[in-house]
Amino acid sequence: MLIKLTGGKVYDPASGVAGLIQNVYFKDGRIIDKPGDQPVDKEYDCHGKVVMSGAIDMHTHIGGGKGNIARTMLPEDHRQDPVPRTNITRSGNGHAMPSTYVTGYRYAEMGYTAGFEPAVLPINARQAHMEMADIPILDKGGYVMLGSDDYFLRMLTAKKDQKAINDYVAFTINAAKAIGVKVVNPGGINAFKFNQRKLDLDEQNVHYGVTPRQILQVLATAVKELGISHPLHVHGCNLGVPGNMQTTLDTIQGIGGLPLHLTHIQFHSYGTEGDFKFSSGAAQIAEAVNKNKNITIDVGQILFGQTVTASGDNMRQHANHKFANPNKWVVMDIECDAGCGVVPFKYQDQNFVNALQWAIGLETFLLVDDPWRIFLTTDHPNGAPFTSYPHLIRLLMDRTFRNEVLATIHPEAQKMTTLASINREYTLDEIAIMTRAGAAKLIGLKERGGLAPGYWADITIYTDNVNREAMFSKPDYVFKDGELVVVDGKVVKTKWGTTHIAKPNYDASVEKDLKDYFDRYLTMKLGNFKISDDEITEDERGSLTVHPTKTAI
Amino acid sequence: MAVITEVPSPFCGVGTDDLSIQVDGIALKVVAYGCAVNTPAFEQAIGDSNPRLAGKSVSLEVAVTQAATLLAQTKQPVIGGCATDVHGMRALLSLADRCGAVIDNMGFNAARNNFLALQDSGWMNTTLAEVKNRCDLLLVVGTDLEAIVPRFFERYLWNEAMFLDDSRQRQVIYLGKPPSGNASTSPNGQKAQVLACDDSALPEVVGVLRALVKGQPIRADKAGGIAVADLQSIADKLKAAKYGVVTWGAGALGINSHAELIVQTVSEMIKDINKGTRCSGLPLAGKEGDLTANQVCGWTTGYPARVRFSKGYPEYDPYLYDTHRMLANGEADALVWVNAFNVKAVPPESELPTIVIGRSGMTFAKEPDVFIPVGTPGIDHAGHAYRTDNVVAIRLLKLRESGLPSTGEVLSAIEAEVQGVQHAN
Ligand SMILES: [Zn+2]
């Protein structure tokens, strides 16, 4: 079926198109060139509308054990937001940590067509994939967590060479069916198991004698040498600690030009000035990001209201449990592999710290120059549920609206932020970069995040509206792989997306030592640990899409 | 005849995956690393694998149609058992969503003790490999551990540990039920310390222990028959341990009403201990698909179990949507019973139209209206199941060619026919 989108204003940063009136054609799931005299089967009038590729959330907690703990722990949150079934959609519930089906529907209803789970524990990867397999419409994928696993730390202590590390990292990406590598509080999750309660960049793990700086260096090098497109995804040390801005600056300086993605940087941009010894470090962080082209960031914006934080960083989550609201929380150590912490939070605009966190996130967005190196996230659900993205886009694109909200937050926080003096308003082109072309480039997704011929026809069409929140809340049409899935902000058809993975090459001999380690210390056989292709594809709705690496198998 | 090695088990709850199983046609024999739980579960004969309507053999198609016809006439069926693999649960939840059913997995009265504590105050927990490599002190609360998990000590305690010089030096303390055997005795001969009390005294005993951990003064000399001085020594040991682990079987506490308060007291005590050193809980709950049901229900509905779909969206009530209670109070108009693991886990007696999707070989005192024998995940078809520590999902293997359909296949087929009937109406 040949489909034509006629007369829309196209924003396709991947092709350098910024607001040109163009027709878009697609057929059999793919964008095509203007066809010759082949008849158009269906035409959509897009005059007065904005056409972009489907949005991609490059960091959202949508699959894996900690999310399911968060769901299970918060029945009262679900009761606020029941979602009835329809003839074509399943029932479920929403708010902070929606059920899987509702996750898929609501993302699609905002024009998103892909989401990436950033914290896939190798030992819990099966669960992450099984949950994501129950998220309809979206494409998905995950970054596998390394850096606090005992096997890796033993390698560092034993001074194994970079090649051996690379093999282990590549093995793990393959075994967990991931597309990137993440490190969370480098070595800190492990240190917490030895009763360390904080771990600075140059502080040693008491058992292994290894520092976070070493871990970052070795993993960032591995990712680069393996040719993984997505740079090492870093949740840094000292999350949430006043003064952690300096840790973040040291992390940027110390990595020596290697590609790094610093995630939810808002939580890592705090100074210690002012009466409350809590201040914004956004300007210094943004300056460092602007200067260091090897660095990309996503913001992890907080927005006011009830949510739940779910993180692999059990050390910091344990420290933050005193802020739990409602007062219940879970911290886990997991399988000599990693850990997790789940703490409900209610961000309040009349709380000085929360109000300043809100401002720090926005300052960061507005002070970083290059939209190709910054990404729009709330670290769902940690800063806010993903359903708040349209509101966040309006805050970025509409200075008047932003200043109106600013005027309502805690007065001391207003004094501590430069937000009111920042005039920048994001353009539609910049939004399209952050949420589409830039995200696809960062993750290394081939043929996604753009509208050039050959790309998959993941397309979102909005009615242009000066109220950007209204505009981005309710797309007129969303196409996924060329199929119309959303009309007027409501799902009209469901389907299943693919799972994006990378398959970096490794020396198979790495499995010999691993097998011995698994047999001696772990509770599962190595052969049973590796996720096979058919586990993703056997139910006939999942599929795997392998993206290239420099050393692909 | 072939021997398959490193076979994962869905039966014992701890995800044992070192079994060797000899396959001879459709006969299985566990030839290495069997135990009292796993060996009979794997070796169970298939029995009569024909579907039956009120005891009469029929084809699978006829049975599926009859099940769909029955279900299409119901307003609020209850789907009990829910003992199957991840894919079976997906199909079960899909069917329940369409029929407006209540779903309830078999072991939830036990697991509820854990979930209510989680939903009220949370916990600090750990998983089996952390126990194996880090645990220097194991406190077993109210549970005869080896009776539930026969190989627990062999696999996770008396075994090589990454961070202990001599794993045989680990201390084991029982509080409440004493052990029924000697599995907890260290290879070096060191016996577990046992502070025994009646199950009914457990709430008092753990309450006092928690108070002692917090440093609260206790005026009594004894709690539940145990000397407070002995409890003080446990509190001291927990605080002195580098990585203490407190374990309990949620079902073992069940004779106390509101046993969730025992779990909560223990979990809050563990949080207190973590102000100084490290200590974690290890709730043991669930086998034969219990945790699998809770996990899949969790991500599909937001609630772990006992969900009602009759309003069109999921509602959760851990007490009201109990299969037995609903049947007894006349709140259901049909019973669907799903158990792909255990031929002895038959449905509760009921006068309602009853559909059983059960492990092949299941027999009944009273034949249900529809019985569809299915294969067992991990024997007759591949699948996934959760381990008792609720983090690790194991990949179940297909070991033989029995021709039995999976739970997922049967429930999806029934749902497709229900949908057809609904459309026709
Ligand atoms: Zn995150």
Side-chain angles (χ1 to χ4, degrees):
Chain A
M1 185 141 117
L2 174 61
I3 295 170
K4 180 184 180 190
L5 309 176
T6 308
K9 197 186 260 190
V10 174
Y11 289 87
D12 179 18
S15 308
V17 176
L20 295 181
I21 305 291
Q22 285 184 346
N23 299 328
V24 175
Y25 300 87
F26 55 96
K27 191 184 171 197
D28 302 333
R30 302 269 195 167
I31 313 263
I32 57 169
D33 274 319
K34 183 175 191 298
D37 38 15
Q38 198 186 341
V40 169
D41 295 296
K42 176 100 182 145
E43 183 175 359
Y44 293 85
D45 180 3
C46 295
H47 289 96
K49 300 189 196 301
V50 167
V51 180
M52 297 184 182
S53 62
I56 298 166
D57 194 344
M58 49 69 66
H59 184 118
T60 172
H61 296 278
I62 53 172
K66 63 193 176 314
N68 226 23
I69 292 169
R71 288 190 186 101
T72 310
M73 189 166 74
L74 297 166
E76 67 278 10
D77 188 61
H78 306 319
R79 288 188 181 115
Q80 309 295 316
D81 190 11
V83 180
R85 70 176 281 117
T86 70
N87 278 336
I88 53 160
T89 57
R90 293 280 298 274
S91 71
N93 54 53
H95 199 61
M97 192 69 200
S99 57
T100 49
Y101 283 86
V102 173
T103 299
Y105 304 145
R106 288 194 171 166
Y107 259 118
E109 288 174 348
M110 298 191 313
Y112 277 73
T113 51
F116 289 80
E117 165 60 53
V120 177
L121 279 60
I123 197 68
N124 189 244
R126 248 184 203 108
Q127 169 153 6
H129 287 297
M130 291 194 295
E131 287 189 31
M132 290 193 285
D134 276 341
I135 295 176
I137 302 174
L138 297 191
D139 285 358
K140 50 255 170 177
Y143 317 137
V144 71
M145 258 170 72
L146 288 169
S148 274
D149 51 311
D150 287 294
Y151 188 82
F152 170 76
L153 293 168
R154 284 158 69 95
M155 289 182 90
L156 292 196
T157 306
K159 305 256 183 298
K160 292 280 164 87
D161 62 16
Q162 185 69 43
K163 157 87 171 55
I165 302 278
N166 295 358
D167 283 338
Y168 172 58
V169 170
F171 163 84
T172 308
I173 293 174
N174 278 275
K177 297 264 183 282
I179 194 165
V181 179
K182 187 192 195 191
V183 60
V184 172
N185 187 353
I189 302 167
N190 186 283
F192 184 56
K193 296 173 188 176
F194 293 105
N195 203 28
Q196 287 176 272
R197 300 304 170 108
K198 67 171 204 27
L199 199 67
D200 284 326
L201 192 58
D202 291 308
E203 193 171 348
Q204 289 190 350
N205 177 303
V206 290
H207 181 80
Y208 291 105
V210 168
T211 67
R213 188 189 295 276
Q214 280 174 279
I215 294 170
L216 288 168
Q217 186 74 36
V218 165
L219 284 177
T221 303
V223 168
K224 179 158 190 268
E225 291 186 359
L226 288 168
I228 307 291
S229 297
H230 186 43
L232 179 65
H233 196 100
V234 179
H235 158 147
C237 315
N238 291 329
L239 178 140
V241 178
N244 63 10
M245 165 190 83
Q246 196 53 50
T247 314
T248 307
L249 294 173
D250 290 347
T251 303
I252 293 172
Q253 286 312 317
I255 204 64
L258 285 168
L260 274 195
H261 178 83
L262 301 179
T263 190
H264 43 66
I265 202 158
Q266 177 276 129
F267 291 108
H268 303 267
S269 303
Y270 304 147
T272 53
E273 285 163 29
D275 294 344
F276 299 98
K277 304 278 176 247
F278 182 77
S279 58
S280 171
Q284 292 93 323
I285 297 290
E287 190 190 350
V289 172
N290 288 337
K291 229 185 270 168
N292 293 276
K293 309 293 182 204
N294 56 314
I295 302 296
T296 54
I297 62 170
D298 66 89
V299 172
Q301 178 68 36
I302 72 128
L303 294 162
F304 303 118
Q306 177 71 56
T307 193
V308 57
T309 65
S311 170
D313 191 347
N314 57 2
M315 174 189 267
R316 292 303 311 151
Q317 289 292 78
H318 181 259
N320 285 331
H321 76 75
K322 51 183 179 290
F323 303 114
N325 185 351
N327 184 15
K328 51 182 171 181
W329 50 278
V330 167
V331 163
M332 286 193 74
D333 297 332
I334 296 175
E335 287 298 278
C336 299
D337 194 27
C340 77
V342 182
V343 183
F345 258 69
K346 195 168 186 177
Y347 294 107
Q348 289 161 328
D349 58 2
Q350 298 312 310
N351 170 301
F352 167 74
V353 170
N354 295 167
L356 195 56
Q357 287 178 301
W358 176 86
I360 291 168
L362 293 175
E363 288 177 9
T364 308
F365 271 114
L366 298 166
L367 296 173
V368 169
D369 301 330
D370 181 359
W372 291 91
R373 292 196 291 118
I374 184 169
F375 300 91
L376 186 139
T377 65
T378 56
D379 190 19
H380 163 78
N382 295 331
F386 67 82
T387 40
S388 53
Y389 285 169
H391 175 76
L392 174 55
I393 291 173
R394 187 175 184 198
L395 288 169
L396 299 179
M397 295 190 71
D398 183 342
R399 179 172 172 253
T400 310
F401 175 66
R402 183 163 72 226
N403 285 336
E404 280 167 18
V405 180
L406 175 62
T408 66
I409 67 169
H410 192 287
E412 294 304 314
Q414 291 184 45
K415 289 186 209 155
M416 295 287 285
T417 173
T418 59
L419 202 53
S421 68
I422 305 176
N423 292 325
R424 182 173 174 193
E425 291 179 327
Y426 266 77
T427 64
L428 282 173
D429 186 46
E430 289 173 323
I431 295 292
I433 294 168
M434 277 203 297
T435 58
R436 274 88 171 165
K441 179 169 175 243
L442 180 79
I443 302 166
L445 297 177
K446 213 175 38 156
E447 298 164 351
R448 301 275 177 185
L451 296 171
Y455 274 66
W456 286 94
D458 297 346
I459 306 171
T460 302
I461 298 155
Y462 308 96
T463 296
D464 205 350
N465 185 336
V466 287
N467 180 337
R468 299 306 188 188
E469 184 169 346
M471 173 176 166
F472 282 94
S473 298
K474 198 178 165 193
D476 300 69
Y477 306 107
V478 179
F479 294 89
K480 176 76 186 76
D481 302 324
E483 289 185 73
L484 184 63
V485 290
V486 170
V487 174
D488 292 335
K490 282 285 158 217
V491 167
V492 294
K493 180 179 195 312
T494 69
K495 66 192 297 292
W496 298 104
T498 191
T499 299
H500 296 285
I501 60 168
K503 284 190 164 184
N505 211 346
Y506 61 93
D507 187 337
S509 66
V510 69
E511 292 193 25
K512 203 172 143 283
D513 193 46
L514 270 165
K515 184 181 181 316
D516 178 58
Y517 175 81
F518 269 66
D519 286 343
R520 284 174 69 186
Y521 297 122
L522 297 189
T523 53
M524 181 182 264
K525 296 290 181 187
L526 181 69
N528 291 327
F529 166 75
K530 292 190 277 186
I531 299 174
S532 60
D533 287 5
D534 61 341
E535 292 184 58
I536 309 276
T537 59
E538 71 192 348
D539 63 3
E540 288 166 17
R541 64 196 201 193
S543 64
L544 291 165
T545 301
V546 183
H547 292 277
T549 53
K550 273 192 323 223
T551 59
I553 293 171
Chain B
M1 215 184 307
V3 172
I4 303 175
T5 58
E6 300 191 352
V7 175
S9 166
F11 302 109
C12 60
V14 289
T16 309
D17 72 343
D18 58 359
L19 278 71
S20 295
I21 295 185
Q22 180 182 297
V23 183
D24 184 5
I26 54 167
L28 302 183
K29 190 169 165 49
V30 177
V31 292
Y33 303 113
C35 70
V37 173
N38 285 328
T39 302
F42 274 100
E43 294 182 354
Q44 167 75 43
I46 280 183
D48 178 7
S49 60
N50 287 314
R52 301 194 289 272
L53 296 186
K56 268 182 51 190
S57 278
V58 294
S59 69
L60 180 60
E61 292 68 31
V62 169
V64 163
T65 301
Q66 180 60 19
T69 307
L70 282 177
L71 275 175
Q73 294 161 5
T74 60
K75 291 204 163 56
Q76 186 164 279
V78 56
I79 308 182
C82 301
T84 180
D85 62 332
V86 167
H87 205 56
M89 267 314 286
R90 284 179 172 142
L92 188 152
L93 285 158
S94 184
L95 175 67
D97 197 6
R98 182 170 298 282
C99 296
V102 166
I103 61 136
D104 175 28
N105 67 294
M106 246 182 18
F108 196 70
N109 277 352
R112 182 175 62 195
N113 294 329
N114 289 340
F115 279 109
L116 291 179
L118 167 69
Q119 290 170 343
D120 196 52
S121 50
W123 51 34
M124 290 183 73
N125 281 348
T126 193
T127 66
L128 294 168
E130 302 287 3
V131 174
K132 174 169 152 54
N133 291 296
R134 288 189 162 85
C135 173
D136 53 353
L137 168 71
L138 179 71
L139 175 65
V140 185
V141 177
T143 304
D144 179 9
L145 193 48
E146 67 209 77
I148 305 179
V149 188
R151 294 178 66 199
F152 184 90
F153 289 95
E154 166 218 327
R155 277 175 66 90
Y156 307 120
L157 239 58
W158 312 136
N159 204 318
E160 188 169 3
M162 223 184 304
F163 307 109
L164 301 176
D165 293 334
D166 181 356
S167 66
R168 296 171 302 176
Q169 301 282 353
R170 304 191 218 232
Q171 302 178 71
V172 179
I173 305 171
Y174 277 80
L175 189 61
K177 276 192 204 70
S180 56
N182 293 317
S184 60
T185 302
S186 164
N188 69 12
Q190 180 69 40
K191 277 194 170 327
Q193 182 186 351
V194 180
L195 300 181
C197 71
D198 289 345
D199 284 351
S200 60
L202 211 47
E204 179 187 349
V205 170
V206 297
V208 170
L209 181 61
R210 183 186 177 204
L212 292 168
V213 163
K214 283 191 96 159
Q216 309 284 17
I218 300 292
R219 288 183 171 282
D221 295 334
K222 289 200 159 197
I226 298 174
V228 168
D230 288 343
L231 291 174
Q232 180 67 54
S233 85
I234 297 185
D236 295 343
K237 284 177 181 171
L238 284 165
K239 287 185 179 174
K242 287 205 167 88
Y243 197 94
V245 173
V246 185
T247 190
W248 63 90
L253 312 172
I255 92 158
N256 291 292
S257 62
H258 295 291
E260 73 273 13
L261 298 177
I262 300 175
V263 177
Q264 184 166 44
T265 303
V266 167
S267 297
E268 292 299 297
M269 175 187 80
I270 292 167
K271 289 181 181 174
D272 290 337
I273 295 167
N274 275 283
K275 289 179 178 147
T277 184
R278 289 305 319 276
C279 183
S280 292
L282 180 74
L284 296 172
K287 52 178 184 152
E288 295 182 352
D290 279 332
L291 286 166
T292 305
N294 299 150
Q295 284 276 7
V296 184
C297 191
W299 75 64
T300 311
T301 72
Y303 308 116
R306 294 210 171 141
V307 171
R308 178 174 85 156
F309 291 93
S310 56
K311 278 196 192 157
Y313 55 83
E315 295 175 286
Y316 163 65
D317 193 302
Y319 292 94
L320 287 181
Y321 305 143
D322 173 336
T323 308
H324 291 85
R325 207 202 59 81
M326 292 191 67
L327 295 177
N329 290 2
E331 292 173 17
D333 54 3
L335 170 66
V336 181
W337 184 256
V338 177
N339 194 313
F341 290 116
N342 189 341
V343 291
K344 298 206 176 73
V346 293
E349 275 181 37
S350 165
E351 295 305 313
L352 296 175
T354 300
I355 300 161
V356 177
I357 314 300
R359 180 169 181 176
S360 186
M362 197 175 268
T363 54
F364 309 92
K366 178 187 159 213
E367 275 286 327
D369 299 270
V370 181
F371 172 51
I372 303 180
V374 289
T376 301
I379 294 178
D380 298 299
H381 61 85
H384 292 101
Y386 277 84
R387 233 167 59 170
T388 189
D389 53 13
N390 221 349
V391 170
V392 179
I394 53 172
R395 171 64 169 166
L396 302 173
L397 309 177
K398 176 176 177 166
L399 304 180
R400 67 182 175 199
E401 204 60 62
S402 64
L404 286 163
S406 70
T407 313
E409 286 163 354
V410 169
L411 292 175
S412 296
I414 293 173
E415 188 191 347
E417 292 214 20
V418 170
Q419 185 179 8
V421 177
Q422 284 176 345
H423 279 189
N425 295 348

